[in-house]
PDB file of all heavy atoms in Angstrom:
ATOM      1  N   GLU X 106      19.857  27.178  75.252  1.00  0.00           N
ATOM      2  CA  GLU X 106      19.482  26.500  76.489  1.00  0.00           C
ATOM      3  C   GLU X 106      20.541  25.451  76.794  1.00  0.00           C
ATOM      4  O   GLU X 106      20.982  24.723  75.901  1.00  0.00           O
ATOM      5  CB  GLU X 106      18.101  25.865  76.353  1.00  0.00           C
ATOM      6  CG  GLU X 106      17.014  26.928  76.175  1.00  0.00           C
ATOM      7  CD  GLU X 106      15.637  26.338  76.022  1.00  0.00           C
ATOM      8  OE1 GLU X 106      15.345  25.813  74.933  1.00  0.00           O
ATOM      9  OE2 GLU X 106      14.863  26.409  76.994  1.00  0.00           O
ATOM     10  N   LEU X 107      20.944  25.415  78.056  1.00  0.00           N
ATOM     11  CA  LEU X 107      21.971  24.483  78.520  1.00  0.00           C
ATOM     12  C   LEU X 107      21.364  23.532  79.531  1.00  0.00           C
ATOM     13  O   LEU X 107      20.585  23.956  80.400  1.00  0.00           O
ATOM     14  CB  LEU X 107      23.128  25.251  79.162  1.00  0.00           C
ATOM     15  CG  LEU X 107      23.772  26.352  78.326  1.00  0.00           C
ATOM     16  CD1 LEU X 107      24.818  27.101  79.143  1.00  0.00           C
ATOM     17  CD2 LEU X 107      24.380  25.776  77.060  1.00  0.00           C
ATOM     18  N   GLU X 108      21.743  22.270  79.421  1.00  0.00           N
ATOM     19  CA  GLU X 108      21.254  21.266  80.368  1.00  0.00           C
ATOM     20  C   GLU X 108      22.411  20.352  80.738  1.00  0.00           C
ATOM     21  O   GLU X 108      23.103  19.816  79.867  1.00  0.00           O
ATOM     22  CB  GLU X 108      20.126  20.462  79.723  1.00  0.00           C
ATOM     23  CG  GLU X 108      19.455  19.504  80.668  1.00  0.00           C
ATOM     24  CD  GLU X 108      18.292  18.800  79.998  1.00  0.00           C
ATOM     25  OE1 GLU X 108      17.565  19.430  79.219  1.00  0.00           O
ATOM     26  OE2 GLU X 108      18.129  17.593  80.261  1.00  0.00           O
ATOM     27  N   SER X 109      22.606  20.185  82.018  1.00  0.00           N
ATOM     28  CA  SER X 109      23.687  19.347  82.518  1.00  0.00           C
ATOM     29  C   SER X 109      23.315  17.876  82.403  1.00  0.00           C
ATOM     30  O   SER X 109      22.183  17.491  82.683  1.00  0.00           O
ATOM     31  CB  SER X 109      23.966  19.707  83.981  1.00  0.00           C
ATOM     32  OG  SER X 109      25.099  19.006  84.429  1.00  0.00           O
ATOM     33  N   ALA X 110      24.283  17.063  81.967  1.00  0.00           N
ATOM     34  CA  ALA X 110      24.097  15.619  81.863  1.00  0.00           C
ATOM     35  C   ALA X 110      25.387  14.966  82.360  1.00  0.00           C
ATOM     36  O   ALA X 110      26.342  14.819  81.603  1.00  0.00           O
ATOM     37  CB  ALA X 110      23.798  15.219  80.427  1.00  0.00           C
ATOM     38  N   ASP X 111      25.431  14.628  83.645  1.00  0.00           N
ATOM     39  CA  ASP X 111      26.641  14.095  84.274  1.00  0.00           C
ATOM     40  C   ASP X 111      27.783  15.094  84.107  1.00  0.00           C
ATOM     41  O   ASP X 111      27.680  16.208  84.554  1.00  0.00           O
ATOM     42  CB  ASP X 111      26.999  12.707  83.723  1.00  0.00           C
ATOM     43  CG  ASP X 111      25.931  11.666  84.061  1.00  0.00           C
ATOM     44  OD1 ASP X 111      25.395  11.735  85.183  1.00  0.00           O
ATOM     45  OD2 ASP X 111      25.646  10.823  83.204  1.00  0.00           O
ATOM     46  N   THR X 112      28.841  14.706  83.407  1.00  0.00           N
ATOM     47  CA  THR X 112      29.979  15.606  83.220  1.00  0.00           C
ATOM     48  C   THR X 112      29.905  16.361  81.889  1.00  0.00           C
ATOM     49  O   THR X 112      30.815  17.097  81.539  1.00  0.00           O
ATOM     50  CB  THR X 112      31.303  14.814  83.264  1.00  0.00           C
ATOM     51  OG1 THR X 112      31.269  13.830  82.225  1.00  0.00           O
ATOM     52  CG2 THR X 112      31.493  14.158  84.624  1.00  0.00           C
ATOM     53  N   SER X 113      28.832  16.186  81.147  1.00  0.00           N
ATOM     54  CA  SER X 113      28.643  16.842  79.857  1.00  0.00           C
ATOM     55  C   SER X 113      27.550  17.898  79.953  1.00  0.00           C
ATOM     56  O   SER X 113      26.809  17.968  80.933  1.00  0.00           O
ATOM     57  CB  SER X 113      28.236  15.822  78.788  1.00  0.00           C
ATOM     58  OG  SER X 113      29.228  14.839  78.648  1.00  0.00           O
ATOM     59  N   THR X 114      27.450  18.699  78.892  1.00  0.00           N
ATOM     60  CA  THR X 114      26.401  19.710  78.811  1.00  0.00           C
ATOM     61  C   THR X 114      25.726  19.616  77.458  1.00  0.00           C
ATOM     62  O   THR X 114      26.389  19.608  76.412  1.00  0.00           O
ATOM     63  CB  THR X 114      26.979  21.128  78.998  1.00  0.00           C
ATOM     64  OG1 THR X 114      27.621  21.193  80.270  1.00  0.00           O
ATOM     65  CG2 THR X 114      25.890  22.185  78.927  1.00  0.00           C
ATOM     66  N   TYR X 115      24.420  19.523  77.482  1.00  0.00           N
ATOM     67  CA  TYR X 115      23.607  19.527  76.272  1.00  0.00           C
ATOM     68  C   TYR X 115      23.317  20.977  75.921  1.00  0.00           C
ATOM     69  O   TYR X 115      22.845  21.754  76.755  1.00  0.00           O
ATOM     70  CB  TYR X 115      22.315  18.741  76.539  1.00  0.00           C
ATOM     71  CG  TYR X 115      21.297  18.825  75.442  1.00  0.00           C
ATOM     72  CD1 TYR X 115      21.466  18.110  74.259  1.00  0.00           C
ATOM     73  CD2 TYR X 115      20.169  19.611  75.577  1.00  0.00           C
ATOM     74  CE1 TYR X 115      20.529  18.179  73.249  1.00  0.00           C
ATOM     75  CE2 TYR X 115      19.223  19.683  74.576  1.00  0.00           C
ATOM     76  CZ  TYR X 115      19.414  18.966  73.413  1.00  0.00           C
ATOM     77  OH  TYR X 115      18.489  19.046  72.416  1.00  0.00           O
ATOM     78  N   VAL X 116      23.617  21.374  74.685  1.00  0.00           N
ATOM     79  CA  VAL X 116      23.402  22.741  74.204  1.00  0.00           C
ATOM     80  C   VAL X 116      22.339  22.702  73.118  1.00  0.00           C
ATOM     81  O   VAL X 116      22.456  21.949  72.147  1.00  0.00           O
ATOM     82  CB  VAL X 116      24.700  23.337  73.607  1.00  0.00           C
ATOM     83  CG1 VAL X 116      24.456  24.752  73.088  1.00  0.00           C
ATOM     84  CG2 VAL X 116      25.832  23.312  74.617  1.00  0.00           C
ATOM     85  N   SER X 117      21.307  23.510  73.290  1.00  0.00           N
ATOM     86  CA  SER X 117      20.272  23.659  72.277  1.00  0.00           C
ATOM     87  C   SER X 117      20.208  25.129  71.881  1.00  0.00           C
ATOM     88  O   SER X 117      20.113  26.007  72.750  1.00  0.00           O
ATOM     89  CB  SER X 117      18.920  23.199  72.831  1.00  0.00           C
ATOM     90  OG  SER X 117      17.887  23.483  71.904  1.00  0.00           O
ATOM     91  N   LEU X 118      20.263  25.400  70.595  1.00  0.00           N
ATOM     92  CA  LEU X 118      20.151  26.757  70.077  1.00  0.00           C
ATOM     93  C   LEU X 118      18.980  26.799  69.105  1.00  0.00           C
ATOM     94  O   LEU X 118      18.953  26.041  68.135  1.00  0.00           O
ATOM     95  CB  LEU X 118      21.438  27.179  69.350  1.00  0.00           C
ATOM     96  CG  LEU X 118      21.364  28.464  68.525  1.00  0.00           C
ATOM     97  CD1 LEU X 118      21.042  29.673  69.389  1.00  0.00           C
ATOM     98  CD2 LEU X 118      22.661  28.669  67.753  1.00  0.00           C
ATOM     99  N   THR X 119      18.017  27.664  69.387  1.00  0.00           N
ATOM    100  CA  THR X 119      16.890  27.886  68.493  1.00  0.00           C
ATOM    101  C   THR X 119      17.016  29.285  67.926  1.00  0.00           C
ATOM    102  O   THR X 119      17.136  30.256  68.674  1.00  0.00           O
ATOM    103  CB  THR X 119      15.547  27.732  69.245  1.00  0.00           C
ATOM    104  OG1 THR X 119      15.491  26.425  69.820  1.00  0.00           O
ATOM    105  CG2 THR X 119      14.364  27.930  68.316  1.00  0.00           C
ATOM    106  N   VAL X 120      17.010  29.377  66.605  1.00  0.00           N
ATOM    107  CA  VAL X 120      17.139  30.652  65.900  1.00  0.00           C
ATOM    108  C   VAL X 120      15.859  30.874  65.101  1.00  0.00           C
ATOM    109  O   VAL X 120      15.558  30.103  64.183  1.00  0.00           O
ATOM    110  CB  VAL X 120      18.368  30.650  64.953  1.00  0.00           C
ATOM    111  CG1 VAL X 120      18.472  31.973  64.205  1.00  0.00           C
ATOM    112  CG2 VAL X 120      19.647  30.350  65.720  1.00  0.00           C
ATOM    113  N   GLN X 121      15.106  31.893  65.469  1.00  0.00           N
ATOM    114  CA  GLN X 121      13.894  32.269  64.736  1.00  0.00           C
ATOM    115  C   GLN X 121      14.283  33.477  63.878  1.00  0.00           C
ATOM    116  O   GLN X 121      14.408  34.586  64.377  1.00  0.00           O
ATOM    117  CB  GLN X 121      12.768  32.597  65.709  1.00  0.00           C
ATOM    118  CG  GLN X 121      12.385  31.374  66.536  1.00  0.00           C
ATOM    119  CD  GLN X 121      11.522  31.721  67.723  1.00  0.00           C
ATOM    120  OE1 GLN X 121      11.984  32.356  68.657  1.00  0.00           O
ATOM    121  NE2 GLN X 121      10.263  31.310  67.659  1.00  0.00           N
ATOM    122  N   ILE X 122      14.494  33.223  62.607  1.00  0.00           N
ATOM    123  CA  ILE X 122      15.131  34.211  61.736  1.00  0.00           C
ATOM    124  C   ILE X 122      14.162  34.796  60.713  1.00  0.00           C
ATOM    125  O   ILE X 122      13.304  34.091  60.186  1.00  0.00           O
ATOM    126  CB  ILE X 122      16.368  33.591  61.035  1.00  0.00           C
ATOM    127  CG1 ILE X 122      17.160  34.650  60.275  1.00  0.00           C
ATOM    128  CG2 ILE X 122      15.975  32.447  60.138  1.00  0.00           C
ATOM    129  CD1 ILE X 122      18.505  34.161  59.757  1.00  0.00           C
ATOM    130  N   ALA X 123      14.344  36.076  60.466  1.00  0.00           N
ATOM    131  CA  ALA X 123      13.689  36.757  59.349  1.00  0.00           C
ATOM    132  C   ALA X 123      14.816  37.192  58.411  1.00  0.00           C
ATOM    133  O   ALA X 123      15.625  38.054  58.769  1.00  0.00           O
ATOM    134  CB  ALA X 123      12.889  37.961  59.831  1.00  0.00           C
ATOM    135  N   ALA X 124      14.901  36.560  57.253  1.00  0.00           N
ATOM    136  CA  ALA X 124      15.897  36.921  56.243  1.00  0.00           C
ATOM    137  C   ALA X 124      15.288  38.039  55.408  1.00  0.00           C
ATOM    138  O   ALA X 124      14.231  37.872  54.806  1.00  0.00           O
ATOM    139  CB  ALA X 124      16.241  35.710  55.382  1.00  0.00           C
ATOM    140  N   LEU X 125      15.953  39.178  55.394  1.00  0.00           N
ATOM    141  CA  LEU X 125      15.374  40.385  54.804  1.00  0.00           C
ATOM    142  C   LEU X 125      15.844  40.654  53.385  1.00  0.00           C
ATOM    143  O   LEU X 125      15.356  41.579  52.734  1.00  0.00           O
ATOM    144  CB  LEU X 125      15.704  41.584  55.702  1.00  0.00           C
ATOM    145  CG  LEU X 125      15.297  41.385  57.171  1.00  0.00           C
ATOM    146  CD1 LEU X 125      15.810  42.532  58.015  1.00  0.00           C
ATOM    147  CD2 LEU X 125      13.795  41.223  57.292  1.00  0.00           C
TER     148      LEU X 125
END
Side-chain angles (χ1 to χ4, degrees):
E106 295 179 285
L107 306 175
E108 186 176 321
S109 186
D111 295 322
T112 59
S113 300
T114 301
Y115 172 75
V116 179
S117 173
L118 168 62
T119 302
V120 179
Q121 297 166 292
I122 188 170
L125 307 173

